[in-house]
Amino acid sequence: MAQFRLIPKPKSSPTPVAQTTPTPASQVQTQAPVRTQTPRPAATRAPQSQTPAVQTPRSSLTPPQAQPTPLVPAPLVAATPLPTLSTKQIAELRQLLTDAGLSQGLRRMTSTVTLPDDSDGMARAALDYARAVHSGRLDSSDFINDWGLRPAPFDPAPGFADAVKRDRLTAWIRSLPPPYAGYDGLEKGLVAYRAILTSGGWSKLAPGPDLAKGASGARVKALRKRLAVEDKQVSTSGDVFDQDLQEAVLRAQRRYGLRPTGVVSTGTLAALNVPVEARVRQIMANMERWRWLPQTLPAKRIQVNIAAAVMTVFEGDSPIASMKAVTGRPGNETPMLQSRIHSIVLNPPWNVPSGIAAKELWPKGEGYLKAHGYRVIGTGPDRRLQQESGPRSALGRYKFDFDNPYAVYLHDTPVQSGFNSYSRLDSHGCVRLEKPGPLAELLLKNDPNWQPDAIAAQLEGTKTVRVRLADADQVAVYLLYWTAFASGDGTMNFRDDPYSWDKLLAEKIESRAAVSVATAS
């Protein structure tokens, strides 16, 4: 039985919270986007731990309930009168909101904000900021269907009134952002990349033949200068592609989730030529997605980073294993969502969606369908295709079911070649797993009827069996879209934005920010 790619145990910590060590550089592509971190206390920023992107608060162990339909957030309106601010508090809030709106990625550097001068106006501006930074700037109408995560309703009025009463506005402002070290990492990355932007950004590298060790000339010199903007270890002097420059190229390729070859070919050149303005907006978009998550995530959960095509298993607030995945290709996007895995289907048949059948299978004819184990169910316009269970099934031997309105699930596949690629967006929206067997054994470890030998015996045949997980063994599952995150040392990492969701989200944030400013009074 193939084993998980195990993640190193966390180093000891002076406080009783879960932390994890950074993944070795050679494994960044498959692990870095989904490792766990621990949040700082609500009003105090904790230093960035040796951990990158998706984190777990240390308190709640209860998985969220499955969401058969997306939740729609509605801004809450304070039921009590606005507190009266002193002249000093108005001035304090003016400075806090001016700085925080920029540092939290709620507006671009080129945008300006005009704040009210009166107590009620400033109080409304503070409440608007609080909702935006705590649970997101978007209105419910801004969410597209595939963005199945929704922030919980949040009413900042009671906390704001208490802060005014106790004259603790600075502490209140600091307590509002998502309580995760990964969010903090993006906040610091935003500062760094805006500084690069202010300094003039980086020049676009000219196209040409691949650059590798031993090359020389003006393009190599330009490459050195470009890499040095993000990597302070790179020397800008010289025009020879030496060993040090090759190591710098490898570091860059890992930061961008590319195959680490040490050769600057088309893909690496394209990643290096993404403008710094686009990287800033990418960071802003990922900060917004953090605001859609609950304030506490269950310790026992499964996470899939859709953009990086990686699945990670968490137990006891620590990542214990990861594996490669294949996620939806553009046009067949894997949605963002949260739910709970309640069943494992052994030897699942594939009930082919009508769209896939019409476009890809019916045109191939009866001979092809029969040869690949498909049977026709029904007649006329209601007929559909089902592929028989067994080794030829597109779902492989395992299917992991969880309630969701998109009809997606995690599953096995008989075709393993797709996991060898660094770009693994090739499904119709479901998530294929590289090593589903160990995952099934992990989820069923407490079921005496389904120990490894029993599972193996069942898989020797083709009979379909649905194994319902006990309530205590049902595990939360999150499908998330992370394209920017900071590693343990603060280095920003980026992945492609295959669905163009970063650009769309950044535009929506800026549009809502403009509406907020226009309606402030």
Side-chain angles (χ1 to χ4, degrees):
M1 179 75 70
Q3 297 299 308
F4 280 130
R5 182 194 310 279
L6 295 180
I7 294 178
K9 291 183 179 180
K11 294 180 179 178
S12 59
S13 171
T15 55
V17 296
Q19 295 183 338
T20 59
T21 55
T23 301
S26 62
Q27 299 176 11
V28 165
Q29 167 65 16
T30 58
Q31 294 182 15
V34 288
R35 283 171 289 167
T36 296
Q37 294 175 327
T38 305
R40 69 275 193 270
T44 305
R45 296 274 182 176
Q48 180 80 0
S49 62
Q50 293 297 308
T51 49
V54 177
Q55 299 86 8
T56 308
R58 56 176 173 265
S59 53
S60 172
L61 300 180
T62 304
Q65 296 298 312
Q67 298 182 13
T69 56
L71 299 177
V72 179
L76 298 179
V77 178
T80 55
L82 295 171
T84 301
L85 302 172
S86 68
T87 302
K88 177 184 176 183
Q89 288 175 327
I90 291 174
E92 181 183 6
L93 270 178
R94 177 179 299 280
Q95 187 62 54
L96 288 171
L97 295 182
T98 300
D99 295 341
L102 194 62
S103 67
Q104 300 301 318
L106 294 174
R107 60 185 177 88
R108 302 180 74 173
M109 291 177 65
T110 54
S111 66
T112 58
V113 58
T114 302
L115 293 170
D117 294 320
D118 62 297
S119 175
D120 282 0
M122 186 61 74
R124 284 192 290 269
L127 293 174
D128 174 74
Y129 166 81
R131 294 187 189 98
V133 78
H134 184 85
S135 53
R137 171 56 79 187
L138 301 193
D139 181 76
S140 59
S141 62
D142 292 321
F143 284 81
I144 66 174
N145 184 59
D146 283 339
W147 297 354
L149 292 173
R150 297 291 190 275
F154 170 63
D155 182 4
F160 176 60
D162 181 68
V164 172
K165 180 180 179 180
R166 296 194 295 147
D167 201 22
R168 292 180 56 82
L169 289 172
T170 299
W172 177 72
I173 288 287
R174 289 177 177 172
S175 74
L176 293 170
Y180 301 104
Y183 183 90
D184 291 344
L186 289 176
E187 184 181 347
K188 294 173 183 175
L190 184 63
V191 172
Y193 277 75
R194 278 178 166 165
I196 294 173
L197 178 59
T198 303
S199 300
W202 49 67
S203 299
K204 188 174 182 179
L205 297 175
D210 291 355
L211 293 175
K213 189 175 180 181
S216 62
R219 290 182 66 228
V220 173
K221 187 173 183 178
L223 174 63
R224 283 187 172 276
K225 185 177 180 180
R226 166 63 185 89
L227 291 172
V229 177
E230 294 180 285
D231 187 346
K232 301 308 178 185
Q233 299 181 56
V234 180
S235 171
T236 58
S237 63
D239 63 355
V240 177
F241 198 125
D242 56 15
Q243 181 65 34
D244 288 343
L245 187 58
Q246 184 182 60
E247 292 297 325
V249 169
L250 289 168
R251 290 193 296 272
Q253 289 169 331
R254 292 176 182 123
R255 287 197 306 274
Y256 290 116
L258 304 172
R259 189 179 297 278
T261 62
V263 176
V264 179
S265 53
T266 304
T268 302
L269 192 68
L272 292 172
N273 279 341
V274 172
V276 66
E277 296 92 336
R279 295 305 186 194
V280 167
R281 299 182 91 203
Q282 194 171 0
I283 294 171
M284 292 170 63
N286 281 266
M287 292 175 76
E288 177 74 0
R289 291 187 191 107
W290 276 110
R291 300 175 189 125
W292 303 349
L293 293 178
Q295 290 294 290
T296 56
L297 293 175
K300 184 179 181 181
R301 70 188 188 280
I302 289 170
Q303 287 180 183
V304 175
N305 183 344
I306 301 165
V310 177
M311 189 215 74
T312 300
V313 181
F314 294 83
E315 193 171 79
D317 269 353
S318 297
I320 61 171
S322 72
M323 67 177 70
K324 296 176 183 178
V326 172
T327 51
R329 65 179 70 94
N332 297 115
E333 290 82 1
T334 297
M336 289 185 282
L337 61 83
Q338 70 177 55
S339 187
R340 294 175 70 178
I341 295 177
H342 55 68
S343 301
I344 300 173
V345 183
L346 304 178
N347 292 324
W350 182 33
N351 294 303
V352 184
S354 59
I356 297 176
K359 293 179 181 179
E360 301 180 23
L361 294 175
W362 290 119
K364 294 185 178 180
E366 182 179 346
Y368 174 90
L369 297 176
K370 184 176 181 179
H372 289 81
Y374 291 95
R375 67 188 184 101
V376 180
I377 299 176
T379 59
D382 295 327
R383 67 174 184 164
R384 62 185 178 88
L385 285 176
Q386 183 185 74
Q387 189 179 32
E388 65 187 13
S389 60
R392 294 185 298 182
S393 171
L395 304 189
R397 295 290 193 169
Y398 303 88
K399 178 187 175 191
F400 301 84
D401 270 346
F402 46 90
D403 295 334
N404 69 90
Y406 305 96
V408 298
Y409 40 82
L410 313 182
H411 68 89
D412 184 18
T413 175
V415 181
Q416 294 292 307
S417 58
F419 297 111
N420 296 327
S421 173
Y422 262 61
S423 177
R424 297 189 299 277
L425 282 79
D426 195 38
S427 79
H428 290 96
C430 289
V431 179
R432 303 174 197 160
L433 300 179
E434 181 186 24
K435 299 174 181 178
L439 178 61
E441 292 180 8
L442 178 66
L443 298 184
L444 293 171
K445 67 179 181 180
N446 296 326
D447 189 333
N449 297 317
W450 291 103
Q451 294 303 293
D453 288 347
I455 296 173
Q458 185 66 43
L459 296 181
E460 288 180 0
T462 59
K463 181 181 178 181
T464 300
V465 175
R466 176 178 291 274
V467 183
R468 181 82 181 184
L469 297 175
D471 288 349
D473 294 327
Q474 293 184 15
V475 61
V477 59
Y478 287 81
L479 307 187
L480 305 170
Y481 190 80
W482 300 123
T483 61
F485 57 92
S487 55
D489 62 0
T491 300
M492 282 303 305
N493 292 255
F494 297 98
R495 297 296 180 266
D496 284 343
D497 177 22
Y499 301 162
S500 297
W501 285 355
D502 287 343
K503 181 177 182 293
L504 177 62
L505 181 54
E507 290 172 350
K508 288 178 178 290
I509 293 169
E510 292 157 12
S511 176
R512 282 294 162 189
V515 169
S516 176
V517 170
T519 58
S521 62

